[in-house]
Amino acid sequence: MALKARSTANDTTFAEAYAQAHSSAGKRTVGFNPTTQYVSTTGAHAFVAPGSGDARGPCPGLNALANHGYIPHNGIGTTAQFTQATNQVYGMGLDVATFLSAYGTAVDGDIVSLSFSIGQGQSTILGPEDGLTGSHNNYETDVSPTRGDLYEYGDNYDVQLSQFVQLYDLQSSVSDPTQVNYDIPLLTSFRVTRFQQSIDNNPYFFNAAFSGLAVQPAAYQFTFRLMANKSEEFPEGRLDRDTLKSFFAISGPDDNLVYTPGHERIPDNWYKRAIGDEYDLPFFLTELGTIAAANPQFASIGGNTGQVDTFTGVNVADLTGGVYNAQTLLQGNNLACFILQVAMMEPSVAAATILLQQLTAVVSPLLSQFDCPELTEIDDSLFDNFPGYTRSS
């Protein structure tokens, strides 16, 4: 039976569920300090367009870091460089930064040099690495806000201008530019649309256990949480049209938008999250779970079966040996637990001792804090019925 995306669960809208879960959201903010939150785009960090041989890929935030010299301009950085830069520039929590950098290096990079490419992979002494561009359904995923599904477009790294315009136009009715804001509820509504578009248009759409449930929502949540410009008036940030365009390499007037591949840039006069209010792993996972509870299709592991509109979900109880089922996965902290547990089960992680240690240091305290049920393995043979999974494998 084909799955049709829904925007509500149990008659509770996302806006209502989000408000309930974040009733004290304003209290999180640690004020606004223009001195400590200002991000330089001049001098050593002036924008420099990528040249021949410079890697750029599906993540606009990492592309912008390379273009401004916060990570190596060639787009190949170490785990430590990615961790430091995303924390320094965007206010990403060190736990999120470590988790994503270590996982990305383990599954798509070079575990000897502890580095990976933000675009196409490089040759290493252990053989070719995937890089982010080559990591489809391993790290990079379908249902991106602006990048196309790989098996729909044959390209998972360039902005599909039609998708950007669809997102951009969601604020077209706002006549006062000072009130434009591409915030979490708006981006979530767009994710609902994009999820259904993948079902309707990509015969090989696959919503994977880690990349679909963790990386896909990150693409939407990070867009606001890390790219919105902070100010005294908007300490949690406001993501206006010009800021959105800058981070996604878009220029030109509203009626003639132009995409220049690889030219993502940090806007001038841009301010990151407040020191002490970093977007940490508990915040990210709690927000992710709240959104999924109101939109349960997001937590449906599975995909189309070779034809469009044939989305079939995996039985979660069979997948996890009864530890979770489709209902309990969305209860309490279980979705966060499952994501962390699946990440630690990745064979590439287990094979990289230093990266395993880094991930364990981040994940183990949260598994305890969230009181997670024990999950030691998943039956990934259930994914073999999905051509989107087998093609990527």
Side-chain angles (χ1 to χ4, degrees), residues 44-390:
H45 297 298
F47 173 84
V48 178
S52 176
D54 291 330
R56 298 294 184 269
C59 178
L62 294 181
N63 291 349
L65 290 179
N67 290 338
H68 286 275
Y70 284 102
I71 59 175
H73 193 261
N74 66 1
I76 303 170
T78 65
T79 304
Q81 287 171 328
F82 287 119
T83 299
Q84 179 183 1
T86 51
N87 172 258
Q88 174 190 354
V89 176
Y90 296 125
M92 178 182 284
L94 285 172
D95 53 359
V96 179
T98 299
F99 179 76
L100 294 179
S101 298
Y103 186 87
T105 301
V107 300
D108 301 312
D110 177 11
I111 62 173
V112 176
S113 64
L114 297 180
S115 66
F116 68 89
S117 166
I118 65 175
Q120 294 287 350
Q122 309 294 310
S123 297
T124 74
I125 63 174
L126 297 180
E129 63 166 350
D130 291 331
L132 287 189
T133 296
S135 68
H136 186 61
N137 284 336
N138 193 5
Y139 197 111
E140 179 275 330
T141 181
D142 291 328
V143 195
S144 164
T146 62
R147 269 62 181 179
D149 287 5
L150 177 62
Y151 299 132
E152 182 180 354
Y153 290 94
D155 170 355
N156 62 353
Y157 48 87
D158 282 330
V159 168
Q160 296 300 323
L161 194 56
S162 62
Q163 288 176 209
F164 180 87
V165 170
Q166 189 175 17
L167 170 60
Y168 190 76
D169 284 350
L170 291 178
Q171 291 283 271
S172 61
S173 63
V174 182
S175 57
D176 182 353
T178 67
Q179 298 304 307
V180 169
N181 194 11
Y182 296 87
D183 59 10
I184 292 291
L186 181 145
L187 287 162
T188 299
S189 71
F190 186 57
R191 185 179 167 204
V192 170
T193 299
R194 286 286 303 119
F195 197 94
Q196 190 62 50
Q197 286 174 341
S198 289
I199 293 174
D200 292 342
N201 300 316
N202 179 5
Y204 302 111
F205 167 45
F206 185 66
N207 205 41
F210 181 78
S211 64
L213 270 60
V215 181
Q216 180 196 121
Y220 293 82
Q221 293 168 230
F222 288 3
T223 295
F224 177 73
R225 295 298 179 191
L226 302 183
M227 294 180 178
N229 199 3
K230 315 306 184 289
S231 65
E232 191 74 45
E233 183 181 3
F234 296 98
E236 289 283 351
R238 184 171 73 88
L239 185 55
D240 64 15
R241 294 186 181 102
D242 288 341
T243 302
L244 185 74
K245 288 165 64 177
S246 183
F247 273 115
F248 286 89
I250 303 293
S251 58
D254 290 359
D255 61 351
N256 188 28
L257 296 175
V258 176
Y259 167 58
T260 306
H263 282 226
E264 293 85 350
R265 65 167 69 204
I266 301 167
D268 294 334
N269 301 312
W270 186 83
Y271 298 83
K272 66 175 181 178
R273 297 184 67 87
I275 305 299
D277 190 38
E278 288 79 9
Y279 193 52
D280 61 18
L281 204 48
F283 190 0
F284 166 62
L285 290 172
T286 300
E287 185 164 66
L288 178 156
T290 302
I291 292 169
N295 301 275
Q297 70 272 23
F298 294 160
S300 298
I301 303 165
N304 281 343
T305 56
Q307 295 182 335
V308 299
D309 201 25
T310 57
F311 189 98
T312 304
V314 168
N315 185 299
V316 176
D318 291 343
L319 180 68
T320 64
V323 176
Y324 303 104
N325 59 45
Q327 289 72 42
T328 61
L329 188 63
L330 291 172
Q331 294 173 357
N333 295 316
N334 284 344
L335 184 57
C337 293
F338 178 76
I339 288 168
L340 296 173
Q341 290 163 332
V342 167
M344 296 302 292
M345 291 178 198
E346 167 58 44
S348 300
V349 170
T353 303
I354 294 177
L355 299 174
L356 177 61
Q357 291 172 348
Q358 292 178 358
L359 284 166
T360 300
V362 170
V363 170
S364 290
L366 286 179
L367 293 178
S368 177
Q369 176 185 330
F370 291 160
D371 193 23
C372 296
E374 185 176 0
L375 178 68
T376 58
E377 63 180 356
I378 61 172
D379 184 5
D380 57 10
S381 69
L382 297 175
F383 302 150
D384 292 340
N385 294 323
F386 300 97
Y389 170 80
T390 55

